[in-house]
Amino acid sequence: MNSSADILIIGGGAMGLATAIELARQDRQVTVLSRSFEEAAVHAAAGMLAPQAEGLAASSMLDLCLQSRSMYPDWIQGLEELTGLDAGYWPCGILSPLYEPPPGHSLHASDWLQPETLNQRQPGLSAEVKGGWWFPDDAQVNNRALAQVLYAAAQQLGVQLFDGITVKKIQHDAHRITQVETTAGDWQAQTYVLTTGAWSADLLPVPVFPRKGQLLSVKAQPHAVRLNQVLFGSEIYLVPRQGGQIVVGATSEDVGFAPHNTPAGIQQLLTAATRLFPGFADYVMEEFWWGFRPTTPDELPILGASPYENLVLATGHYRNGILLTPITAALIAELVLTQTTDPLLESFSWERFGSLGCQHDALTATAT
Ligand code: GLY
């Protein structure tokens, strides 16, 4: 079978769907091919919108993340109005408790809370905690609900969504993608967008590789101490949902695409969560899962034009995919529509790796 599309997005996770939505809103005809919508990293995340809690240094990455965080309220509102669904966006702030206080001078920073103030904001923290950072502008979204909202919005806007189709090969000549070979025949398009996350290196020699994260969730018993905001500890994060659930993450493992939860991974999460928030031990276990962060050698995404004039890249978002979804979708759609690269994208070009043929091991050796 031979099929064609105006714009073909390869990958049906958060980036693919959100970019498709932006393009469809501009009346473009968009097709998304997804190997497995259920396996996309958007389902595996915890949904933190945490440029500050993640401790990103002043950089173009921090600028990109802060701008994306600021887009969230309007972006979510637009999607919720379109679909009538709730994405669970909650500007609850993030508290980052520490067992060791930072050097003296930073204790006077306005976002540092001494133990007494910290305990007023969040009762039930460990007696080992010596204070913490408070990031009121960091937030969260229910990533699984967001995935449903994005899917529904794309459908409503007329995006053609194909789940269960694997792109096996991207065919190209010296300058252009000529077609993609899939498990459902060949597809041709005017423009292609690659949003295949941790699986990107299956299709192009991009230095993107998986870093596994294991997560779990618990549910509050009736009289449990509740979390009022996200807790982002040095070895763990606890993300409370408004219904009383807490999502706990995450391990960070270089084990390729090795599937499954492991006793070691889950034990690590349970031990760290109970240390930070002892009342956690009385919650009810609910679910375990895992996912693969799309990681690059410098842990920054690969965004923008590619060596092929009709292929755009949006992959490698590592720990910040949910946070970066709105800005990625907006700027990648702008690039597709106008061939204009926003200055914010310049630091994230594939060209920083020299050549798309570079090997992961060689790049890792030189990564900062
Ligand atoms: N964004 C948190 C993580 O990747 O674990």
Side-chain angles (χ1 to χ4, degrees), residues 48 54 232 237 249-251 293 318-320:
M48 287 185 297
E54 285 275 354
F232 193 108
Y237 50 78
T251 62
R293 302 176 184 87
Y318 186 41
R319 295 180 63 92
N320 294 295

